[in-house]
Amino acid sequence: MSEQANITLGSKSLEMPVKHGSIGPDVVDIRKLYGQTGAFTFDPGFTSTASCESAITYIDGDEGVLLHRGYPIQQLAEDSSFMEVAYLLTEGELPSKDELAKFEHTISRHTMVHEQLMQFFRGFRRDAHPMAIMCGVVGALSAFYHDSTDIDDPKQRMIASHRLIAKMPTIAAMAYKYSIGQPFIYPDNSLSYTGNFLRMTFGVPAEEYVVNPIVERAMDRIFILHADHEQNASTSTVRLAGSSGANPFACMAAGIACLWGPAHGGANEAALEMLREIGRPERIPEYIARAKNKDDPFRLMGFGHRVYKNYDPRATVMQKTVRELFKELKVTDPVFEVALQLEEMALNDSYFIEKKLFPNVDFYSGIVLSAVGFPTSMFTALFALARTVGWVAQWNEMIGDPEQKIGRPRQLYTGAPQRDYVPIAKR
Ligand code: CMC
């Protein structure tokens, strides 16, 4: 007999099936709870709730494990490319040589954006945050690509997915170019996905742009590290938006909006700004004391994670990438020394030990991005670019799930009970 969980509520008892994944915690299937007992579960922030079944990404937060389709993130970051990981996440298996070449070719055919879309940029102030532009422009794609918004057609879903993966670098680069007053650079499909993005960002029409392979590799690795992360806030937002049948471009815009927050993707920008503000190792104790002070809202940005209660495996790779990039480019940044010392001090402090707060992916990523030449305001846009792969993979998985329903949480109501309207003259 299959395993059951029992719950007794007053005089009512209910047996609920326990479901097992391939690895990871079991789940108690509570779908009949309300119908049979009249009670809801209460889990704000979803700390104990699995919102869906998924075969894409697995995280063991206690052990610091992150797997994409079963493959450890360290191996993917070390040995694969972002396009390979994009194929893996969206198609389910690692590609053969031919499959990868075909996939790269397909993506490269979608890198341009509709010429009319360029007018959108001109409507923004020059000092607009790139994420503000990304939210608007990505949402607006649905007004341009009508032939890929029918979510019930798997072919259209695939085209929309390819378009989103391909156009995100173009849109992110355009947001950057607009902010610095330089002309937009059209994609060059002879370059790699990441090389093309670097050229569109840092190239100018007046000069030939030569992609630095060291920088290209470092950026590709950053994209791999950000490609997907299970049911995080922005991915859950994409799924929730998509559950109503909204078109994929609108869903991605919703994901971008959620990612922007400083507790999520916005932390990479905030982390580097914090490290720069600290400036010198002597000032670290002051900031650690502030992070520990309950009356001070300050938090160590790039530290802590809802799921990882151990070192975020992505942070390990990121720290290594900083070292490699600095060595190869023969550059340095005093902020890296501050970051290393801050990490060491925090990891030896009882507050951080007890609360299991470790560096996350965002702690070191800003140092790499800054060394490559990106302003902090672009950091979260780069996260969005990479996470688009995860978003489309998860969105597709959801649409194809026969158990998929519109996402509609309930609540514990604490407002006024029913009362009669009082005319304004009598109030
Ligand atoms: N600095 C100081 N204290 C912290 C920090 C931090 N960075 N993070 C958590 N805490 C404390 C927090 O005050 C709380 O203490 P107490 O139990 O005494 O109230 C305890 O640790 C648990 O924190 P929480 O906010 O309840 O945990 P959460 O799972 O809701 O939040 C988090 C996770 C990532 C939002 C949080 O750790 C945080 O705000 N970190 C800084 C922002 C950041 O780096 N975000 C990037 C996350 S990784 C990239 C991504 O996937 O988006």
Side-chain angles (χ1 to χ4, degrees), residues 257-277:
C258 178
L259 185 75
W260 194 359
H264 192 6
N268 55 11
E269 187 177 340
L272 188 70
E273 276 161 6
M274 176 195 76
L275 292 171
R276 283 195 180 138
E277 190 185 303

Side-chain angles (χ1 to χ4, degrees), residues 284-300 345-346 348-355 357:
I284 294 172
E286 180 196 326
Y287 282 80
I288 295 224
R290 282 188 62 195
K292 289 159 58 174
N293 181 355
K294 275 220 163 295
D295 299 325
D296 188 332
F298 174 79
R299 285 184 167 199
L300 277 193
M345 233 179 257
N348 286 303
D349 187 294
S350 57
Y351 174 93
F352 292 86
I353 295 169
E354 275 157 28
K355 294 191 189 301
L357 299 170

Side-chain angles (χ1 to χ4, degrees), residues 63-128:
E63 295 299 323
V65 170
L66 168 60
L67 310 176
H68 290 321
R69 304 277 188 193
Y71 298 103
I73 189 66
Q74 293 91 336
Q75 293 178 19
L76 294 170
E78 202 65 52
D79 300 321
S80 78
S81 68
F82 181 61
M83 278 295 93
E84 233 182 302
V85 172
Y87 185 98
L88 174 69
L89 289 169
T90 53
E91 299 290 330
E93 291 297 336
L94 283 170
S96 67
K97 236 177 166 181
D98 286 351
E99 284 165 338
L100 180 61
K102 193 164 165 240
F103 182 69
E104 287 177 328
H105 178 78
T106 305
I107 296 297
S108 76
R109 292 295 146 210
H110 288 291
T111 51
M112 282 171 58
V113 292
H114 194 290
E115 201 68 8
Q116 198 67 20
L117 199 79
M118 302 208 186
Q119 308 303 325
F120 268 74
F121 287 83
R122 309 209 188 284
F124 286 97
R125 283 170 54 133
R126 290 275 175 190
D127 62 356

Side-chain angles (χ1 to χ4, degrees), residues 56 68-69 82-91 103 107 161 164-166 168 193 223-224 226-229 235 252 383-396:
I56 301 175
H68 290 321
R69 304 277 188 193
F82 181 61
M83 278 295 93
E84 233 182 302
V85 172
Y87 185 98
L88 174 69
L89 289 169
T90 53
E91 299 290 330
F103 182 69
I107 296 297
S161 304
L164 279 157
I165 294 170
M168 214 53 110
Y193 182 89
F223 292 160
I224 293 172
H226 288 90
D228 191 48
H229 212 223
T235 302
M252 299 306 133
F383 194 155
L385 182 167
R387 185 55 58 85
T388 297
V389 163
W391 290 334
V392 297
Q394 301 265 355
W395 171 79
N396 265 304

Side-chain angles (χ1 to χ4, degrees), residues 226-338:
H226 288 90
D228 191 48
H229 212 223
E230 205 226 59
Q231 307 311 319
N232 57 86
S234 58
T235 302
S236 298
T237 302
V238 168
R239 278 186 179 255
L240 194 57
S243 76
S244 73
N247 76 69
F249 305 106
C251 296
M252 299 306 133
I256 292 169
C258 178
L259 185 75
W260 194 359
H264 192 6
N268 55 11
E269 187 177 340
L272 188 70
E273 276 161 6
M274 176 195 76
L275 292 171
R276 283 195 180 138
E277 190 185 303
I278 297 174
R280 303 187 311 273
E282 309 85 84
R283 298 190 64 201
I284 294 172
E286 180 196 326
Y287 282 80
I288 295 224
R290 282 188 62 195
K292 289 159 58 174
N293 181 355
K294 275 220 163 295
D295 299 325
D296 188 332
F298 174 79
R299 285 184 167 199
L300 277 193
M301 299 314 284
F303 250 80
H305 199 276
R306 167 62 63 79
V307 183
Y308 293 118
K309 301 302 167 201
N310 200 328
Y311 214 98
D312 178 342
R314 301 169 301 170
T316 318
V317 182
M318 202 60 88
Q319 197 206 80
K320 191 167 160 244
T321 306
V322 180
R323 287 188 197 285
E324 284 172 11
L325 189 74
F326 281 8
K327 190 169 163 232
E328 306 252 21
L329 296 181
K330 298 189 180 52
V331 295
T332 181
D333 185 340
V335 142
F336 186 41
E337 194 44 45
V338 173

Side-chain angles (χ1 to χ4, degrees), residues 167-184:
K167 292 185 199 308
M168 214 53 110
T170 313
I171 294 169
M174 287 166 85
Y176 174 66
K177 284 300 195 197
Y178 186 72
S179 73
I180 56 168
Q182 287 186 0
F184 299 140

